[in-house]
Amino acid sequence: MQDADEVARETGTRPLSGRIHLLGIGNVGSFVAHSLAGRQYPPPMTLLLHHSNVYRSWISKKECIAINVNGLDDVKSGFDVNVKSSDSDTWYSLPWDKDGKPEERDRTLSEKLKDGNIEKSLAQSEVDDSTIECAVVTVKANQTVRAVSSISHRLTRDSTILLLQNGMGTIDELNEKVFPDSSNRPHYMTGIFSHGLYQMSPFQVVHTGIGTTVLSPAPSREVVATAGDNDADWAPTTKYLLRTLTLTPPLVAFAETPSSIVQYQLEKLAMNAVINPLTSLMECKNGEILYNYKFTRVMRLLLIEISSVILALPEVQGIPGIEARFDPERLRWMAVQLASKTRHNMSSMLQDMLSGKATEIEYINGYIVRRGEELGIKCVVNFMIKEMVQARVALLHQRESGAVPMDLSGFEDEQ
């Protein structure tokens, strides 16, 4: 709340509530929420749970988030939650009971876990249509439009959305499909998150390696290199969210200018466009694509196309040193270093593929293909890789659906 009051005084605007809503409580969302809760003066937070089953998991974890470091769980509580109705975009508010005794809360949570009580507790809750000032969105890129659509009626032109995810192109997609009216469009921030995390169970995440969180307001494509670097132009909610996150030590967050962060994003995109699809197609760990001449040739072909597209993008024109930074050989060196550093890891795309989830390939290699088409550059290697990943996902789905043949003839007669 201190940060919210300071921003209001500096900008001469009405006081902000200071509440931060988090949409997508997976690895990154859990870590961000836990980090904010560990501040000396935590901001009020609301976790947006998209389904009653997620709420059931939340109850089973006693309404807490645990981050495991060196084998020990650090547990944080005190989060409010909104739970979305399964048949509409109605959000129900379930505030944290700050005054409840621990033993009474445990009994209440146990009661809620009984069959039917989850739905009953939601039906007895208040509908929450309150305005969302600051939303931190950490869902997968391919889920962004659907997720943000569910809260779009609660966002205003004064709100700020932070997109903390892999891939690029989600802002353009949100503008086209969710916020077509630019006069009522919320402000955007983008972030690059590099902490090492993996999930033990819902709301219980292991922190395997300290990274950073790079943040910046996001101007339109056309003005990245020339405008938006002056914080006087930022909305109060953007200033508040940026200040709050950068003053939260576990996030190791720092602010960059829009022209700088777009270069960080493009570098990460290039790395993801090589390591993720190759490890997914070959079903191998990151380090296994090293010291293999066949992989090296494919990496070079991918990065030649990626470099050509990036250097032709209108939003990076005029940035000093851009040609050297995105030279194909430098990108290949970076990819090799990253694969070596994470040699024992399984890429997020391979994890999604093996768990039957849709991948983010359309926002990684697919983004390069789409931007290349806009610029008249044919990216046939990236297109082929994208299609092969999608074909493999479809093949795995076909195998899974055909794994247990069932004869349902006469089923209705037995009822």
Side-chain angles (χ1 to χ4, degrees):
M1 289 298 294
Q2 281 185 326
D3 292 337
D5 293 339
E6 290 171 10
V7 168
R9 286 195 297 270
E10 290 175 4
T11 58
T13 58
R14 63 174 180 79
L16 301 175
S17 71
R19 181 167 293 275
I20 297 174
H21 288 73
L22 295 105
L23 181 60
I25 315 298
N27 294 351
V28 177
S30 294
F31 185 76
V32 172
H34 185 277
S35 300
L36 289 169
R39 286 170 53 111
Q40 183 178 2
Y41 301 104
M45 280 178 282
T46 299
L47 310 183
L48 297 166
L49 310 182
H50 69 279
H51 197 278
S52 59
N53 286 339
V54 183
Y55 180 53
R56 184 182 297 277
S57 297
W58 176 245
I59 296 300
S60 70
K61 292 294 183 179
K62 297 186 177 182
E63 300 184 329
C64 297
I65 294 176
I67 299 297
N68 186 287
V69 182
N70 298 324
L72 298 174
D73 277 348
D74 181 18
V75 179
K76 293 286 187 287
S77 59
F79 306 96
D80 296 327
V81 301
N82 280 182
V83 183
K84 192 170 81 71
S85 168
S86 58
D87 55 0
S88 69
D89 285 340
T90 302
W91 291 89
Y92 293 96
S93 175
L94 296 110
W96 169 259
D97 183 5
K98 301 174 180 62
D99 301 319
K101 296 179 180 179
E103 61 272 16
E104 292 176 351
R105 287 189 54 78
D106 287 346
R107 283 198 297 272
T108 301
L109 296 178
S110 296
E111 282 295 317
K112 285 183 178 180
L113 280 173
K114 292 181 179 178
D115 289 342
N117 280 15
I118 293 286
E119 290 72 20
K120 183 179 178 181
S121 64
L122 291 179
Q124 294 173 345
S125 303
E126 292 185 5
V127 173
D128 193 344
D129 281 329
S130 61
T131 297
I132 294 176
E133 293 175 342
C134 300
V136 179
V137 178
T138 60
V139 300
K140 297 281 189 180
N142 52 297
Q143 301 167 344
T144 304
V145 166
R146 183 177 179 182
V148 174
S149 292
S150 70
I151 60 169
S152 59
H153 60 289
R154 300 175 60 182
L155 295 163
T156 71
R157 59 182 296 172
D158 298 318
S159 303
T160 293
I161 302 174
L162 166 61
L163 298 171
L164 208 56
Q165 53 194 189
N166 285 332
M168 296 181 70
T170 49
I171 290 179
D172 293 333
E173 194 173 16
L174 285 171
N175 287 343
E176 178 187 349
K177 298 179 180 179
V178 185
F179 305 111
D181 182 359
S182 59
S183 63
N184 290 317
R185 190 174 289 162
H187 303 274
Y188 296 114
M189 285 174 59
T190 56
I192 302 171
F193 186 90
S194 62
H195 290 271
L197 304 170
Y198 74 85
Q199 189 177 73
M200 293 179 67
S201 61
F203 307 105
Q204 185 180 21
V205 175
V206 179
H207 190 199
T208 60
I210 296 175
T212 60
T213 309
V214 189
L215 303 168
S216 175
S220 63
R221 280 184 187 176
E222 292 74 13
V223 297
V224 166
T226 58
D229 289 354
N230 185 357
D231 61 7
D233 300 328
W234 300 348
T237 52
T238 303
K239 288 185 177 182
Y240 166 70
L241 185 58
L242 192 60
R243 177 177 295 179
T244 301
L245 295 175
T246 53
L247 294 177
T248 302
L251 294 176
V252 195
F254 61 94
E256 278 287 2
T257 62
S259 57
S260 293
I261 199 170
V262 75
Q263 296 176 75
Y264 283 117
Q265 286 181 302
L266 290 168
E267 280 182 344
K268 185 174 183 180
L269 184 79
M271 301 304 99
N272 285 338
V274 171
I275 296 173
N276 282 13
L278 292 184
T279 56
S280 298
L281 290 171
M282 302 307 295
E283 203 169 315
C284 65
K285 292 185 177 179
N286 293 354
E288 293 182 276
I289 66 172
L290 298 171
Y291 315 117
N292 184 314
Y293 180 62
K294 302 300 182 183
F295 275 127
T296 300
R297 293 185 71 182
V298 176
M299 288 171 62
R300 286 181 185 276
L301 291 171
L302 283 168
L303 290 171
I304 287 171
E305 288 184 355
I306 291 167
S307 173
S308 298
V309 171
I310 290 175
L311 293 177
L313 293 174
E315 55 264 40
V316 303
Q317 300 308 305
I319 296 178
I322 196 73
E323 292 82 5
R325 185 165 184 169
F326 290 97
D327 179 79
E329 275 305 302
R330 178 178 181 272
L331 294 178
R332 189 190 67 81
W333 178 84
M334 290 179 63
V336 169
Q337 295 299 309
L338 181 59
S340 179
K341 181 180 177 181
T342 61
R343 64 174 66 87
H344 301 300
N345 294 2
M346 185 185 294
S347 71
S348 59
M349 186 174 290
L350 177 55
Q351 292 180 52
D352 287 340
M353 184 180 287
L354 295 179
S355 61
K357 298 177 182 176
T359 72
E360 297 176 292
I361 193 71
E362 282 289 356
Y363 299 86
I364 301 176
N365 300 79
Y367 180 80
I368 292 295
V369 172
R370 288 193 299 278
R371 297 306 304 272
E373 289 176 349
E374 293 175 9
L375 298 163
I377 302 172
K378 292 188 179 298
C379 299
V380 293
V381 182
N382 280 271
F383 178 80
M384 183 187 70
I385 290 290
K386 174 179 76 75
E387 293 295 298
M388 289 180 68
V389 168
Q390 292 174 325
R392 180 160 171 75
V393 170
L395 179 62
L396 292 175
H397 284 167
Q398 289 171 359
R399 287 177 180 174
E400 184 178 351
S401 62
V404 184
M406 297 179 65
D407 182 5
L408 299 179
S409 61
F411 179 76
E412 293 182 356
D413 295 337
E414 294 175 5
Q415 298 301 306

